[in-house]
Amino acid sequence: STTEKPILLDNIADAEAFVSGAEVAVIGFFQEPESAEASHFRLAAGNIPEVPFGLSTSPAVLSHYGVSANTVTLFRRVDNDRRDLDMNNRDVDTEKMTRFVRMNELRLVTEYNPVTAIGVMQSSFQFNLLLITDKMSPKHPERMRKFRGAAELFKGKILFILLDSNLKSNEQVVSYFQLKKSQLPALAIFHTPDDEHEVMTVDEISTERVQDFCNRFIQ
């Protein structure tokens, strides 16, 4: 895109509009816009084109969010949560900032991989719902549309996760639920505090089926 990244946020209203305008948004709070940390922040923004990055040096904005200068904060809509990376007493470079965002960018539907796995494990959600499916399938876009529709209904309650059965790194998860590739696609719901889970193989995904499956398990 031709727009400058990160976007400068000079006042509270701009910052709030920026945060509410995306599923995941990142703001770097700095005293000096040309500091070494701010330079690393700009490079990290370039590494992650699909996440909006904002930068603020306004004392009013910092105070509004209760942060000190040299903090990177990730806001996510899926659970109205935020994660802060305080850089005041530690050495944080572009790579660490990029990893911090990648690890914590939980979305309405989060795709599971070795990096997002950490954020998934550390999330405050007690219920995780996995759609275990082949992303290369011609039916994938339609399945995802219906899965996202169900995710909207359980926002803040259940973390919806897409698990691509083609990825070698995901084979362990598929076998954990005792599924074979021939049984996919499947839905697996998981209650993190006690590892209780239930699996349902599905030929076709519909928002209603997903909704019923979740409601039954939660009850």
Side-chain angles (χ1 to χ4, degrees), residues 40-127:
H40 283 303
F41 182 72
R42 286 191 179 86
L43 290 169
N47 285 346
I48 311 174
E50 71 279 19
V51 175
F53 276 63
L55 188 151
S56 188
T57 55
S58 150
V61 175
L62 270 74
S63 151
H64 177 72
Y65 288 107
V67 291
S68 57
N70 287 345
T71 302
V72 172
T73 300
L74 178 141
F75 300 87
R76 56 188 192 210
R77 199 190 293 170
V78 65
D79 55 357
N80 286 327
D81 206 353
R82 60 182 261 191
R83 290 284 183 271
D84 293 338
L85 176 65
D86 183 341
M87 299 175 287
N88 284 305
N89 301 315
R90 45 208 283 219
D91 197 22
V92 177
D93 58 11
T94 306
E95 198 181 322
K96 286 184 184 148
M97 281 187 208
T98 304
R99 188 172 165 74
F100 165 76
V101 175
R102 285 290 185 221
M103 213 168 78
N104 290 296
E105 57 166 336
L106 300 182
R107 296 170 177 274
L108 198 57
V109 175
T110 299
E111 184 160 352
Y112 189 88
N113 60 45
V115 180
T116 58
I118 302 164
V120 167
M121 305 291 181
Q122 292 175 349
S123 86
S124 54
F125 284 94
Q126 295 215 336
F127 295 99

